[in-house]
Amino acid sequence: EAADFGKLGRMYEILKQLQLRGNYNNCQTDNLFSEEEFKRHLVEITKNRYDNSPEEIINFLLNIEPPNVDITTIESLNNMLTEEPSTEEIIRTIRSMPDKAPGLDDIRIRDIKEADRDILNQTCERVKYMFNNRASEWSEDERIGAIIPLFKKGDQQNINNYRSICLLPKLSRILGIILATSIRKWAEQI
């Protein structure tokens, strides 16, 4: 019922009471849709989300005239994207994050916020490691997100009445926010 009306906070409270929260492998479902049906549907709605095909978008981007900016400015802007995040930046990001549903790692952001300085420093070092290394070098817990279908409204038998969310591991989520912020700042400077 909580999921039917979009009350996610209440839904997570109920899951916690049922001891299902964060334990997705043992979750009992109605199996309204198979995993393969849901994946096909997700691919289809993703394709339909854009007015142009990926090929058209790529061709458009390739034909854009470059901005009239000197090479030194471009190099300094590009350095913004490759500069390792500082400990202060990581801590600031953690403190700004709301406490949302955990990923498969079952780590809540509030636990990181309330942790002692050693744990916070270890978290910062791990985020820096992830920034400097390919995802294939991260532990599996840091790179696997859980895609969860959420019912929106209407007929529960209709797959179009679901939307998906991806619950990322917290360290990946922290890094993602830092990268998105860097890219936004970079784009604003161009």
Side-chain angles (χ1 to χ4, degrees), residues 157-174:
Q157 300 296 322
N158 183 345
I159 199 165
N160 292 314
N161 291 332
Y162 288 79
R163 69 178 181 91
S164 59
I165 61 169
C166 183
L167 301 177
L168 291 174
K170 281 305 170 244
L171 295 179
S172 295
R173 180 82 176 118
I174 294 165

Side-chain angles (χ1 to χ4, degrees), residues 23-183:
N23 189 9
Y24 306 112
N25 295 331
N26 298 326
C27 247
Q28 295 296 316
T29 64
D30 294 337
N31 292 327
L32 296 174
F33 311 105
S34 71
E35 183 179 342
E36 285 305 311
E37 285 177 304
F38 187 75
K39 283 180 184 176
R40 277 194 308 278
H41 173 68
L42 185 60
V43 166
E44 190 61 34
I45 63 170
T46 302
K47 283 183 194 172
N48 294 335
R49 222 170 240 203
Y50 303 100
D51 293 335
N52 304 87
S53 71
E55 294 81 20
E56 290 173 306
I57 294 170
I58 290 169
N59 286 333
F60 173 77
L61 293 173
L62 291 174
N63 292 316
I64 292 177
E65 290 292 322
N68 189 12
V69 181
D70 68 273
I71 194 71
T72 336
T73 305
I74 292 173
E75 287 174 355
S76 73
L77 288 173
N78 287 344
N79 286 339
M80 288 173 58
L81 298 175
T82 57
E83 192 174 299
E84 180 181 272
S86 67
T87 300
E88 294 75 26
E89 181 181 5
I90 296 168
I91 291 172
R92 189 172 46 252
T93 300
I94 292 169
R95 290 192 175 134
S96 72
M97 292 173 65
D99 188 38
K100 293 190 175 182
L104 294 175
D105 60 358
D106 206 27
I107 297 173
R108 299 200 62 101
I109 199 67
R110 74 168 172 242
D111 296 335
I112 297 173
K113 287 178 180 180
E114 295 170 359
D116 65 22
R117 193 70 183 167
D118 279 347
I119 298 293
L120 201 51
N121 285 335
Q122 289 175 23
T123 300
C124 292
E125 289 307 310
R126 193 63 194 170
V127 170
K128 288 178 184 182
Y129 172 84
M130 293 167 68
F131 178 86
N132 290 311
N133 293 280
R134 293 180 168 272
S136 60
E137 296 176 31
W138 306 353
S139 73
E140 189 170 315
D141 290 347
E142 294 166 336
R143 57 187 157 100
I144 304 290
I147 297 176
I148 308 292
L150 289 179
F151 179 67
K152 294 186 291 189
K153 62 181 177 180
D155 180 10
Q156 287 187 340
Q157 300 296 322
N158 183 345
I159 199 165
N160 292 314
N161 291 332
Y162 288 79
R163 69 178 181 91
S164 59
I165 61 169
C166 183
L167 301 177
L168 291 174
K170 281 305 170 244
L171 295 179
S172 295
R173 180 82 176 118
I174 294 165
L175 180 60
I177 291 170
I178 290 169
L179 293 175
T181 302
S182 295
I183 292 169

